[in-house]
PDB file of all heavy atoms in Angstrom:
ATOM      1  N   GLU X 239       2.894  28.186  27.282  1.00 98.00           N
ATOM      2  CA  GLU X 239       3.414  26.989  27.945  1.00 98.00           C
ATOM      3  C   GLU X 239       3.040  25.727  27.177  1.00 98.00           C
ATOM      4  O   GLU X 239       3.861  24.814  27.038  1.00 98.00           O
ATOM      5  CB  GLU X 239       2.898  26.911  29.380  1.00 98.00           C
ATOM      6  CG  GLU X 239       3.505  25.737  30.143  1.00 98.00           C
ATOM      7  CD  GLU X 239       3.061  25.687  31.595  1.00 98.00           C
ATOM      8  OE1 GLU X 239       2.298  26.582  32.023  1.00 98.00           O
ATOM      9  OE2 GLU X 239       3.465  24.727  32.292  1.00 98.00           O
ATOM     10  N   PHE X 240       1.818  25.678  26.672  1.00 98.00           N
ATOM     11  CA  PHE X 240       1.398  24.492  25.915  1.00 98.00           C
ATOM     12  C   PHE X 240       2.271  24.307  24.680  1.00 98.00           C
ATOM     13  O   PHE X 240       2.760  23.199  24.408  1.00 98.00           O
ATOM     14  CB  PHE X 240      -0.072  24.613  25.508  1.00 98.00           C
ATOM     15  CG  PHE X 240      -0.604  23.412  24.778  1.00 98.00           C
ATOM     16  CD1 PHE X 240      -1.194  22.368  25.466  1.00 98.00           C
ATOM     17  CD2 PHE X 240      -0.496  23.303  23.397  1.00 98.00           C
ATOM     18  CE1 PHE X 240      -1.671  21.253  24.791  1.00 98.00           C
ATOM     19  CE2 PHE X 240      -0.962  22.199  22.711  1.00 98.00           C
ATOM     20  CZ  PHE X 240      -1.553  21.166  23.422  1.00 98.00           C
ATOM     21  N   VAL X 241       2.488  25.376  23.917  1.00 98.00           N
ATOM     22  CA  VAL X 241       3.294  25.270  22.698  1.00 98.00           C
ATOM     23  C   VAL X 241       4.724  24.876  23.042  1.00 98.00           C
ATOM     24  O   VAL X 241       5.342  24.033  22.357  1.00 98.00           O
ATOM     25  CB  VAL X 241       3.261  26.591  21.911  1.00 98.00           C
ATOM     26  CG1 VAL X 241       4.257  26.556  20.753  1.00 98.00           C
ATOM     27  CG2 VAL X 241       1.855  26.857  21.381  1.00 98.00           C
ATOM     28  N   SER X 242       5.260  25.442  24.108  1.00 98.00           N
ATOM     29  CA  SER X 242       6.627  25.110  24.516  1.00 98.00           C
ATOM     30  C   SER X 242       6.748  23.639  24.883  1.00 98.00           C
ATOM     31  O   SER X 242       7.696  22.951  24.462  1.00 98.00           O
ATOM     32  CB  SER X 242       7.038  25.985  25.696  1.00 98.00           C
ATOM     33  OG  SER X 242       8.317  25.624  26.170  1.00 98.00           O
ATOM     34  N   ARG X 243       5.797  23.154  25.649  1.00 98.00           N
ATOM     35  CA  ARG X 243       5.821  21.740  26.050  1.00 98.00           C
ATOM     36  C   ARG X 243       5.631  20.825  24.853  1.00 98.00           C
ATOM     37  O   ARG X 243       6.285  19.773  24.747  1.00 98.00           O
ATOM     38  CB  ARG X 243       4.742  21.471  27.094  1.00 98.00           C
ATOM     39  CG  ARG X 243       4.990  22.094  28.454  1.00 98.00           C
ATOM     40  CD  ARG X 243       4.032  21.446  29.436  1.00 98.00           C
ATOM     41  NE  ARG X 243       4.024  22.094  30.739  1.00 98.00           N
ATOM     42  CZ  ARG X 243       3.482  21.558  31.826  1.00 98.00           C
ATOM     43  NH1 ARG X 243       2.879  20.360  31.737  1.00 98.00           N
ATOM     44  NH2 ARG X 243       3.487  22.185  32.974  1.00 98.00           N
ATOM     45  N   LEU X 244       4.720  21.204  23.960  1.00 98.00           N
ATOM     46  CA  LEU X 244       4.480  20.374  22.775  1.00 98.00           C
ATOM     47  C   LEU X 244       5.741  20.308  21.911  1.00 98.00           C
ATOM     48  O   LEU X 244       6.108  19.232  21.413  1.00 98.00           O
ATOM     49  CB  LEU X 244       3.308  20.944  21.970  1.00 98.00           C
ATOM     50  CG  LEU X 244       2.870  20.142  20.742  1.00 98.00           C
ATOM     51  CD1 LEU X 244       2.407  18.743  21.135  1.00 98.00           C
ATOM     52  CD2 LEU X 244       1.759  20.879  19.985  1.00 98.00           C
ATOM     53  N   LYS X 245       6.415  21.429  21.760  1.00 98.00           N
ATOM     54  CA  LYS X 245       7.655  21.447  20.984  1.00 98.00           C
ATOM     55  C   LYS X 245       8.700  20.524  21.602  1.00 98.00           C
ATOM     56  O   LYS X 245       9.381  19.760  20.891  1.00 98.00           O
ATOM     57  CB  LYS X 245       8.201  22.874  20.913  1.00 98.00           C
ATOM     58  CG  LYS X 245       9.509  23.005  20.140  1.00 98.00           C
ATOM     59  CD  LYS X 245      10.010  24.442  20.145  1.00 98.00           C
ATOM     60  CE  LYS X 245      11.357  24.551  19.421  1.00 98.00           C
ATOM     61  NZ  LYS X 245      11.868  25.964  19.440  1.00 98.00           N
ATOM     62  N   GLN X 246       8.832  20.569  22.921  1.00 98.00           N
ATOM     63  CA  GLN X 246       9.801  19.706  23.601  1.00 98.00           C
ATOM     64  C   GLN X 246       9.473  18.232  23.406  1.00 98.00           C
ATOM     65  O   GLN X 246      10.365  17.400  23.192  1.00 98.00           O
ATOM     66  CB  GLN X 246       9.825  20.051  25.093  1.00 98.00           C
ATOM     67  CG  GLN X 246      10.400  21.409  25.423  1.00 98.00           C
ATOM     68  CD  GLN X 246      10.206  21.781  26.892  1.00 98.00           C
ATOM     69  OE1 GLN X 246       9.930  20.915  27.721  1.00 98.00           O
ATOM     70  NE2 GLN X 246      10.339  23.068  27.206  1.00 98.00           N
ATOM     71  N   LYS X 247       8.189  17.901  23.475  1.00 98.00           N
ATOM     72  CA  LYS X 247       7.772  16.496  23.338  1.00 98.00           C
ATOM     73  C   LYS X 247       8.062  15.962  21.941  1.00 98.00           C
ATOM     74  O   LYS X 247       8.596  14.857  21.788  1.00 98.00           O
ATOM     75  CB  LYS X 247       6.280  16.364  23.649  1.00 98.00           C
ATOM     76  CG  LYS X 247       5.923  16.459  25.113  1.00 98.00           C
ATOM     77  CD  LYS X 247       6.202  15.145  25.825  1.00 98.00           C
ATOM     78  CE  LYS X 247       5.693  15.181  27.253  1.00 98.00           C
ATOM     79  NZ  LYS X 247       5.980  13.914  27.975  1.00 98.00           N
ATOM     80  N   ILE X 248       7.710  16.718  20.925  1.00 97.00           N
ATOM     81  CA  ILE X 248       7.873  16.169  19.576  1.00 97.00           C
ATOM     82  C   ILE X 248       9.339  16.149  19.166  1.00 97.00           C
ATOM     83  O   ILE X 248       9.724  15.377  18.280  1.00 97.00           O
ATOM     84  CB  ILE X 248       7.002  16.904  18.534  1.00 97.00           C
ATOM     85  CG1 ILE X 248       7.458  18.327  18.323  1.00 97.00           C
ATOM     86  CG2 ILE X 248       5.550  16.846  18.922  1.00 97.00           C
ATOM     87  CD1 ILE X 248       6.713  19.011  17.174  1.00 97.00           C
ATOM     88  N   ALA X 249      10.165  16.961  19.831  1.00 95.00           N
ATOM     89  CA  ALA X 249      11.601  16.924  19.531  1.00 95.00           C
ATOM     90  C   ALA X 249      12.221  15.595  19.930  1.00 95.00           C
ATOM     91  O   ALA X 249      13.280  15.216  19.409  1.00 95.00           O
ATOM     92  CB  ALA X 249      12.315  18.067  20.249  1.00 95.00           C
ATOM     93  N   THR X 250      11.569  14.877  20.830  1.00 96.00           N
ATOM     94  CA  THR X 250      12.117  13.599  21.297  1.00 96.00           C
ATOM     95  C   THR X 250      11.598  12.410  20.493  1.00 96.00           C
ATOM     96  O   THR X 250      12.032  11.277  20.719  1.00 96.00           O
ATOM     97  CB  THR X 250      11.780  13.379  22.783  1.00 96.00           C
ATOM     98  OG1 THR X 250      10.357  13.204  22.928  1.00 96.00           O
ATOM     99  CG2 THR X 250      12.230  14.560  23.624  1.00 96.00           C
ATOM    100  N   LEU X 251      10.642  12.642  19.590  1.00 98.00           N
ATOM    101  CA  LEU X 251      10.076  11.533  18.825  1.00 98.00           C
ATOM    102  C   LEU X 251      11.124  10.921  17.902  1.00 98.00           C
ATOM    103  O   LEU X 251      11.813  11.626  17.172  1.00 98.00           O
ATOM    104  CB  LEU X 251       8.875  12.011  18.006  1.00 98.00           C
ATOM    105  CG  LEU X 251       7.660  12.511  18.796  1.00 98.00           C
ATOM    106  CD1 LEU X 251       6.594  13.034  17.845  1.00 98.00           C
ATOM    107  CD2 LEU X 251       7.089  11.403  19.677  1.00 98.00           C
ATOM    108  N   LYS X 252      11.204   9.607  17.929  1.00 98.00           N
ATOM    109  CA  LYS X 252      12.175   8.917  17.073  1.00 98.00           C
ATOM    110  C   LYS X 252      11.565   8.675  15.700  1.00 98.00           C
ATOM    111  O   LYS X 252      10.508   8.054  15.563  1.00 98.00           O
ATOM    112  CB  LYS X 252      12.598   7.588  17.693  1.00 98.00           C
ATOM    113  CG  LYS X 252      13.622   6.856  16.836  1.00 98.00           C
ATOM    114  CD  LYS X 252      14.070   5.541  17.454  1.00 98.00           C
ATOM    115  CE  LYS X 252      15.046   4.815  16.532  1.00 98.00           C
ATOM    116  NZ  LYS X 252      15.479   3.513  17.076  1.00 98.00           N
ATOM    117  N   ILE X 253      12.242   9.152  14.688  1.00 98.00           N
ATOM    118  CA  ILE X 253      11.782   9.036  13.304  1.00 98.00           C
ATOM    119  C   ILE X 253      12.577   7.928  12.624  1.00 98.00           C
ATOM    120  O   ILE X 253      13.800   7.840  12.790  1.00 98.00           O
ATOM    121  CB  ILE X 253      11.996  10.367  12.566  1.00 98.00           C
ATOM    122  CG1 ILE X 253      11.244  11.488  13.283  1.00 98.00           C
ATOM    123  CG2 ILE X 253      11.560  10.251  11.116  1.00 98.00           C
ATOM    124  CD1 ILE X 253      11.616  12.874  12.813  1.00 98.00           C
ATOM    125  N   GLY X 254      11.894   7.065  11.874  1.00 98.00           N
ATOM    126  CA  GLY X 254      12.657   6.020  11.203  1.00 98.00           C
ATOM    127  C   GLY X 254      11.811   4.936  10.578  1.00 98.00           C
ATOM    128  O   GLY X 254      10.647   5.145  10.204  1.00 98.00           O
ATOM    129  N   ASP X 255      12.392   3.761  10.491  1.00 97.00           N
ATOM    130  CA  ASP X 255      11.802   2.586   9.858  1.00 97.00           C
ATOM    131  C   ASP X 255      10.531   2.180  10.615  1.00 97.00           C
ATOM    132  O   ASP X 255      10.577   1.933  11.824  1.00 97.00           O
ATOM    133  CB  ASP X 255      12.823   1.446   9.902  1.00 97.00           C
ATOM    134  CG  ASP X 255      12.340   0.180   9.225  1.00 97.00           C
ATOM    135  OD1 ASP X 255      11.139   0.089   8.895  1.00 97.00           O
ATOM    136  OD2 ASP X 255      13.171  -0.735   9.045  1.00 97.00           O
ATOM    137  N   PRO X 256       9.383   2.095   9.945  1.00 98.00           N
ATOM    138  CA  PRO X 256       8.151   1.751  10.652  1.00 98.00           C
ATOM    139  C   PRO X 256       8.146   0.341  11.232  1.00 98.00           C
ATOM    140  O   PRO X 256       7.357   0.046  12.142  1.00 98.00           O
ATOM    141  CB  PRO X 256       7.061   1.906   9.582  1.00 98.00           C
ATOM    142  CG  PRO X 256       7.782   1.792   8.282  1.00 98.00           C
ATOM    143  CD  PRO X 256       9.143   2.377   8.526  1.00 98.00           C
ATOM    144  N   SER X 257       9.004  -0.534  10.744  1.00 97.00           N
ATOM    145  CA  SER X 257       9.073  -1.894  11.289  1.00 97.00           C
ATOM    146  C   SER X 257       9.938  -1.979  12.542  1.00 97.00           C
ATOM    147  O   SER X 257       9.942  -2.997  13.232  1.00 97.00           O
ATOM    148  CB  SER X 257       9.605  -2.869  10.237  1.00 97.00           C
ATOM    149  OG  SER X 257      10.930  -2.537   9.872  1.00 97.00           O
ATOM    150  N   ASP X 258      10.658  -0.905  12.863  1.00 97.00           N
ATOM    151  CA  ASP X 258      11.471  -0.840  14.077  1.00 97.00           C
ATOM    152  C   ASP X 258      10.544  -0.524  15.248  1.00 97.00           C
ATOM    153  O   ASP X 258       9.834   0.489  15.242  1.00 97.00           O
ATOM    154  CB  ASP X 258      12.537   0.243  13.914  1.00 97.00           C
ATOM    155  CG  ASP X 258      13.491   0.327  15.103  1.00 97.00           C
ATOM    156  OD1 ASP X 258      13.123  -0.092  16.218  1.00 97.00           O
ATOM    157  OD2 ASP X 258      14.604   0.839  14.913  1.00 97.00           O
ATOM    158  N   GLU X 259      10.562  -1.358  16.273  1.00 97.00           N
ATOM    159  CA  GLU X 259       9.639  -1.205  17.395  1.00 97.00           C
ATOM    160  C   GLU X 259       9.859   0.081  18.173  1.00 97.00           C
ATOM    161  O   GLU X 259       8.986   0.522  18.924  1.00 97.00           O
ATOM    162  CB  GLU X 259       9.760  -2.407  18.339  1.00 97.00           C
ATOM    163  CG  GLU X 259       9.269  -3.712  17.749  1.00 97.00           C
ATOM    164  CD  GLU X 259       7.791  -3.672  17.383  1.00 97.00           C
ATOM    165  OE1 GLU X 259       6.990  -3.164  18.188  1.00 97.00           O
ATOM    166  OE2 GLU X 259       7.443  -4.137  16.274  1.00 97.00           O
ATOM    167  N   THR X 260      11.016   0.694  18.035  1.00 98.00           N
ATOM    168  CA  THR X 260      11.286   1.928  18.775  1.00 98.00           C
ATOM    169  C   THR X 260      10.908   3.183  18.000  1.00 98.00           C
ATOM    170  O   THR X 260      10.937   4.290  18.551  1.00 98.00           O
ATOM    171  CB  THR X 260      12.776   2.006  19.160  1.00 98.00           C
ATOM    172  OG1 THR X 260      13.570   2.097  17.970  1.00 98.00           O
ATOM    173  CG2 THR X 260      13.194   0.785  19.970  1.00 98.00           C
ATOM    174  N   THR X 261      10.549   3.037  16.738  1.00 98.00           N
ATOM    175  CA  THR X 261      10.176   4.191  15.916  1.00 98.00           C
ATOM    176  C   THR X 261       8.837   4.762  16.373  1.00 98.00           C
ATOM    177  O   THR X 261       7.896   4.022  16.668  1.00 98.00           O
ATOM    178  CB  THR X 261      10.104   3.796  14.434  1.00 98.00           C
ATOM    179  OG1 THR X 261      11.397   3.409  13.991  1.00 98.00           O
ATOM    180  CG2 THR X 261       9.614   4.949  13.582  1.00 98.00           C
ATOM    181  N   GLN X 262       8.747   6.080  16.401  1.00 98.00           N
ATOM    182  CA  GLN X 262       7.505   6.754  16.783  1.00 98.00           C
ATOM    183  C   GLN X 262       6.876   7.539  15.635  1.00 98.00           C
ATOM    184  O   GLN X 262       5.684   7.802  15.653  1.00 98.00           O
ATOM    185  CB  GLN X 262       7.776   7.693  17.965  1.00 98.00           C
ATOM    186  CG  GLN X 262       8.186   6.945  19.229  1.00 98.00           C
ATOM    187  CD  GLN X 262       8.719   7.876  20.289  1.00 98.00           C
ATOM    188  OE1 GLN X 262       9.799   8.453  20.134  1.00 98.00           O
ATOM    189  NE2 GLN X 262       7.977   8.032  21.376  1.00 98.00           N
ATOM    190  N   ILE X 263       7.683   7.921  14.656  1.00 98.00           N
ATOM    191  CA  ILE X 263       7.182   8.593  13.457  1.00 98.00           C
ATOM    192  C   ILE X 263       7.783   7.892  12.247  1.00 98.00           C
ATOM    193  O   ILE X 263       9.006   7.870  12.073  1.00 98.00           O
ATOM    194  CB  ILE X 263       7.564  10.079  13.420  1.00 98.00           C
ATOM    195  CG1 ILE X 263       6.862  10.850  14.537  1.00 98.00           C
ATOM    196  CG2 ILE X 263       7.228  10.690  12.062  1.00 98.00           C
ATOM    197  CD1 ILE X 263       5.408  11.141  14.283  1.00 98.00           C
ATOM    198  N   GLY X 264       6.933   7.323  11.419  1.00 98.00           N
ATOM    199  CA  GLY X 264       7.390   6.678  10.200  1.00 98.00           C
ATOM    200  C   GLY X 264       7.158   7.580   9.001  1.00 98.00           C
ATOM    201  O   GLY X 264       6.796   8.753   9.140  1.00 98.00           O
ATOM    202  N   PRO X 265       7.339   7.055   7.803  1.00 98.00           N
ATOM    203  CA  PRO X 265       7.102   7.840   6.599  1.00 98.00           C
ATOM    204  C   PRO X 265       5.615   7.995   6.327  1.00 98.00           C
ATOM    205  O   PRO X 265       4.785   7.240   6.849  1.00 98.00           O
ATOM    206  CB  PRO X 265       7.774   7.001   5.505  1.00 98.00           C
ATOM    207  CG  PRO X 265       7.699   5.590   6.014  1.00 98.00           C
ATOM    208  CD  PRO X 265       7.835   5.688   7.509  1.00 98.00           C
ATOM    209  N   MET X 266       5.287   8.979   5.527  1.00 98.00           N
ATOM    210  CA  MET X 266       3.917   9.117   5.039  1.00 98.00           C
ATOM    211  C   MET X 266       3.667   8.047   3.982  1.00 98.00           C
ATOM    212  O   MET X 266       4.592   7.401   3.489  1.00 98.00           O
ATOM    213  CB  MET X 266       3.688  10.524   4.499  1.00 98.00           C
ATOM    214  CG  MET X 266       3.768  11.600   5.576  1.00 98.00           C
ATOM    215  SD  MET X 266       3.378  13.266   4.962  1.00 98.00           S
ATOM    216  CE  MET X 266       1.624  13.104   4.543  1.00 98.00           C
TER     217      MET X 266
END
């Protein structure tokens, strides 16, 4: 259940420009 929930959560993370206030994952 933990792995399933974690997978669902990270699937919703918004990836993009780090200067965009809505971004949750930026580049390394």
Side-chain angles (χ1 to χ4, degrees):
E239 185 177 359
F240 182 91
V241 172
S242 176
R243 290 194 189 194
L244 184 61
K245 179 182 177 181
Q246 292 171 17
K247 285 281 187 181
I248 67 173
T250 67
L251 296 176
K252 181 179 177 182
I253 302 168
D255 182 349
S257 63
D258 183 336
E259 292 299 316
T260 65
T261 296
Q262 295 168 291
I263 294 283
M266 294 184 67

